[in-house]
Amino acid sequence: MEPKPRKGPCHNVTPSGCLPSPTAVVSSEDETVKISVKLLKLISGEFDLESILFLKLTKMGICSLGCIDDCVNLERLDLSRNDISNLKPLASLRLLTVLNLSANRISNLDPLHACENLQSLNLAGNLISSFDALHSITDLKNLDTMRLKDTICSFSNPVCMNTSYLNTMLDMFPNIKVLDEIDGSVPIHAPLVPKKWVEDGYWELKPMQQTQTDEAIEQFHGLVKECRELNSKAADVITKIRRTLRAAN
């Protein structure tokens, strides 16, 4: 009997495409893709999970967030186009500022209440059916950009069908500057031009901290070079002293 093909758009993949990879942990029982330590290290290039500041894990068929809660210093996270429904591990990511959860199976946002630094949140294309489901994130004081529907990608949520959707959302989130494709600085009656949530290349940008890390590594190599030069000079001095002592004897 031939093995059944795994479900999901793309299992065991790398960010560059649907290529086989041993890093995504697939359960033999329910065939779900789970984020693993190995996967996080491969994608980020970091040895220590606490050093990871930026992750893009899209179109990987992920059902379980696994150990992503160990990435406590994450600032930007893209989990779009997966099969995620449980956000509990994200409650540990208190430094998170940008989060893309579009095109998943999310209906409960309670864990995001702990992400107090969250500024930009994309929830388009999920299963959020009522305004009550959004109450848990109304206390996020830094949240100023949110998307529950995306006309470019044809993503939405059941709650967006409510006739009072826009007014209710603006009442619930008075600090929101950009809701879906509506910029708060533009009059509501003005013609709406569909916009992408973030600009092309946004998720490929290096975080500022990465630049600082590169500088630290460069300084480290400079110190190593300097130490080698000092060691060489010291060896020369020792050799000269020995020759002098021999000549004196």
Side-chain angles (χ1 to χ4, degrees), residues 75 94-101 109 111-123 128 133-148 165 169-180 182 197:
E75 296 178 2
R94 297 179 179 272
L95 299 182
L96 206 59
T97 59
V98 181
L99 178 59
N100 187 357
L101 293 169
L109 303 174
L112 298 185
H113 177 74
C115 301
E116 53 194 25
N117 284 300
L118 200 59
Q119 298 174 12
S120 184
L121 176 62
N122 191 342
L123 295 166
I128 300 169
L134 297 164
H135 274 299
S136 58
I137 60 173
T138 54
D139 290 334
L140 297 178
K141 297 179 180 179
N142 295 310
L143 186 62
D144 59 18
T145 301
M146 184 162 58
R147 177 162 288 197
L148 277 90
Y165 168 72
M169 287 295 292
L170 294 178
D171 287 341
M172 290 178 65
F173 299 93
N175 295 325
I176 285 291
K177 296 178 180 177
V178 180
L179 174 63
D180 300 331
I182 300 175
W197 181 52

Side-chain angles (χ1 to χ4, degrees), residues 81-105:
R81 298 176 186 265
N82 283 295
D83 202 23
I84 299 165
S85 59
N86 187 351
L87 301 180
K88 187 175 180 180
L90 297 185
S92 299
L93 309 183
R94 297 179 179 272
L95 299 182
L96 206 59
T97 59
V98 181
L99 178 59
N100 187 357
L101 293 169
S102 62
N104 278 283
R105 297 190 302 109

Side-chain angles (χ1 to χ4, degrees), residues 187-244:
I188 293 179
H189 57 75
L192 293 180
V193 179
K195 295 180 180 179
K196 294 182 179 180
W197 181 52
V198 292
E199 297 298 324
D200 292 337
Y202 174 84
W203 292 101
E204 282 69 41
L205 292 176
K206 276 190 175 183
M208 185 180 298
Q209 286 81 355
Q210 183 62 49
T211 302
Q212 294 172 347
T213 301
D214 292 340
E215 291 176 355
I217 292 174
E218 186 177 348
Q219 291 176 5
F220 172 76
H221 287 308
L223 287 173
V224 171
K225 182 180 179 181
E226 188 175 335
C227 288
R228 286 175 177 169
E229 292 174 350
L230 289 172
N231 184 62
S232 178
K233 291 179 180 179
D236 290 341
V237 171
I238 291 172
T239 300
K240 291 178 180 178
I241 292 174
R242 285 176 177 173
R243 288 175 180 173
T244 301

Side-chain angles (χ1 to χ4, degrees), residues 60-74:
M60 301 182 74
I62 296 170
C63 295
S64 171
L65 294 176
C67 62
I68 200 167
D69 53 343
D70 290 332
C71 303
V72 293
N73 291 312
L74 258 182

Side-chain angles (χ1 to χ4, degrees), residues 143-155:
L143 186 62
D144 59 18
T145 301
M146 184 162 58
R147 177 162 288 197
L148 277 90
K149 60 182 178 180
D150 186 329
T151 57
I152 294 178
C153 299
S154 298
F155 292 159

